Amino acid sequence: DCKITKGIKVILDTVLGWFSKDMGIDLGTCNTLVCVRGEGIVLNEPSVVAVRKGTNVVLNDGEAVGLVAKEMLGKTPGSITAIRPMKDGVISDFEITERMLGYFIRKVHGRGGLFRPRVVIAVPSGITAVERRAVIDSAERAGARKVYLVDEPMAAGLGAGLPITEPTASMIVDIGGGTSEIAIMSLGDISTCESVRIGGDDFDEALINHLKRTYNLLIGEPRAEQVKIQIGSAAPLEQEMTMEIAGRDTISGLPRKIVITSEEIREAFREPIAGIIEGVMRTLERAEPELAADLIENGLYMAGGGSLLRGMDTVISNATGLKVQHADDPLTCVARGCSVYLENLEILKDALDQSGSGWD
């Protein structure tokens, strides 16, 4: 009887999948990307929500999410707070994350689909069982019919087009906003991995602290990110750059401008860069000898927004002695990997953590 009931559930789930817009979600600290089966990536918005201060009431009838909310970061009046509910790749505010997921699911699924969607969500490989449970609960309450979790390195490797199912080593270094996922994969699974809670946000924070400590100048996260993108680097540049930065003087309290150099920024980034390199080295030290040998030929691939920092590939290559390459469109690797899982969900779903299986 149990087998028959389970079989009926599987068939029903498959049939419902024909009439729902099943989606994959790269639930990132900085940005959330959503892909739909058969359509690819359909949404890419910041993981930010604007609420009334002291409440969890989202502004504009629940629509102040994503791009609209990010424009408010650092510029909100006293009655409004712009919140990033994800920290270090995991949920820091469950209720706000649920509202954000609900908004994104409605925005995508509202265009069609008779039934609630099945959702594949990429999560950091190092999160705990409790944190995984929190992601599943939030997605179900946000409107998902069934939730499947995939480790980010696996999704990033698939999205980068690496031969992760073959008997050879594929190595990915995915530097996101809150975490850096480093993994060596072979035969369709992770051989060894390291989830380092250092990412693009830590570079921004390091720059903010440097300016405050050295120049008594206070700037916000959006401006720090802008400076990082325009003149930030991990390795010396052929031609060093300068940039004018405006902020508030911490002593006089008045607006002030300074000029900062790319060398200064590189020095400010030294600590988070060292933390990522240590994670890469620890992963390599734990690799099986045969897989380590494969990497001499295969090298490693970089993905995620943090990999776009100038010279990041150079410092990792110098530290490891391996060939380092950027994946195509590194910002969307994880989302594209989720899309591969979506297209093959009937085959791969038993290998994924899922709601209603092992969590009750």
Side-chain angles (χ1 to χ4, degrees):
D1 289 345
C2 289
K3 288 183 178 179
I4 294 173
T5 303
K6 186 177 180 181
I8 292 172
K9 285 182 178 180
V10 170
I11 294 169
L12 182 61
D13 192 48
T14 303
V15 172
L16 289 176
W18 297 340
F19 299 98
S20 67
K21 294 178 78 72
D22 293 342
M23 59 187 73
I25 300 178
D26 173 12
L27 187 60
T29 304
C30 294
N31 293 285
T32 295
L33 285 77
V34 180
C35 57
V36 171
R37 187 161 57 180
E39 297 182 30
I41 297 170
V42 297
L43 182 145
N44 181 355
E45 294 200 25
S47 304
V48 184
V49 182
V51 300
R52 297 201 178 280
K53 192 166 186 177
T55 74
N56 283 331
V57 178
V58 182
L59 298 177
N60 300 342
D61 296 323
E63 300 297 304
V65 178
L67 291 169
V68 174
K70 186 174 183 180
E71 291 175 358
M72 302 179 183
L73 271 177
K75 299 181 179 180
T76 56
S79 60
I80 298 172
T81 304
I83 297 174
R84 291 173 58 179
M86 304 291 295
K87 184 173 176 58
D88 296 336
V90 297
I91 296 173
S92 61
D93 189 314
F94 300 101
E95 198 168 341
I96 297 299
T97 299
E98 182 184 326
R99 282 167 168 68
M100 182 178 75
L101 275 173
Y103 170 81
F104 290 141
I105 290 173
R106 285 194 309 275
K107 189 170 183 178
V108 173
H109 200 259
R111 297 181 302 173
L114 299 174
F115 301 97
R116 293 191 302 159
R118 293 178 297 181
V119 178
V120 174
I121 301 179
V123 294
S125 58
I127 68 172
T128 65
V130 172
E131 289 167 333
R132 286 174 179 263
R133 176 74 253 180
V135 174
I136 287 176
D137 286 346
S138 294
E140 285 184 327
R141 287 197 294 264
R145 182 173 89 252
K146 196 170 183 68
V147 183
Y148 301 91
L149 300 186
V150 56
D151 287 336
E152 279 181 15
M154 291 291 291
L158 275 175
L162 301 186
I164 65 173
T165 59
E166 296 179 12
T168 186
S170 295
M171 185 170 184
I172 193 87
V173 179
D174 177 17
I175 306 174
T179 62
S180 292
E181 298 291 310
I182 305 146
I184 298 172
M185 297 161 287
S186 178
L187 294 171
D189 205 352
I190 294 174
S191 172
T192 183
C193 67
E194 185 86 17
S195 184
V196 182
R197 297 204 173 182
I198 299 172
D201 284 355
D202 295 275
F203 291 106
D204 297 340
E205 187 179 343
L207 178 56
I208 290 169
N209 291 337
H210 170 74
L211 294 177
K212 185 177 179 182
R213 185 172 57 248
T214 308
Y215 296 100
N216 297 315
L217 188 76
L218 194 61
I219 65 170
E221 291 177 12
R223 199 168 299 273
E225 183 181 24
Q226 183 184 22
V227 174
K228 175 182 68 179
I229 292 170
Q230 290 194 18
I231 67 169
S233 70
L237 303 173
E238 286 186 14
Q239 185 173 353
E240 300 293 350
M241 296 177 284
T242 62
M243 182 177 176
E244 194 174 64
I245 306 174
R248 176 167 60 83
D249 192 296
T250 58
I251 296 174
S252 68
L254 299 175
R256 182 162 67 92
K257 285 182 180 179
I258 64 165
V259 174
I260 191 169
T261 67
S262 51
E263 293 101 323
E264 283 184 82
I265 295 174
R266 190 160 56 249
E267 184 61 31
F269 289 170
R270 182 189 294 269
E271 191 173 329
I273 289 171
I276 292 171
I277 290 174
E278 285 173 15
V280 173
M281 301 301 283
R282 285 196 299 269
T283 305
L284 288 168
E285 287 165 5
R286 292 199 301 267
E288 293 291 334
E290 288 300 315
L291 294 179
D294 288 342
L295 293 174
I296 298 294
E297 179 68 27
N298 300 343
L300 66 84
Y301 282 76
M302 295 185 67
S307 70
L308 297 175
L309 182 69
R310 295 173 188 83
M312 196 70 197
D313 52 348
T314 302
V315 296
I316 291 179
S317 180
N318 290 342
T320 62
L322 297 176
K323 175 176 64 178
V324 177
Q325 302 177 66
H326 281 96
D328 293 336
D329 196 5
L331 287 167
T332 64
C333 274
V334 174
R336 283 184 283 129
C338 287
S339 184
V340 174
Y341 274 97
L342 273 179
E343 300 296 337
N344 301 279
L345 193 55
E346 301 308 322
I347 301 169
L348 299 174
K349 64 183 181 181
D350 288 339
L352 305 177
D353 288 338
Q354 53 187 284
S355 53
S357 178
W359 297 99
D360 298 328

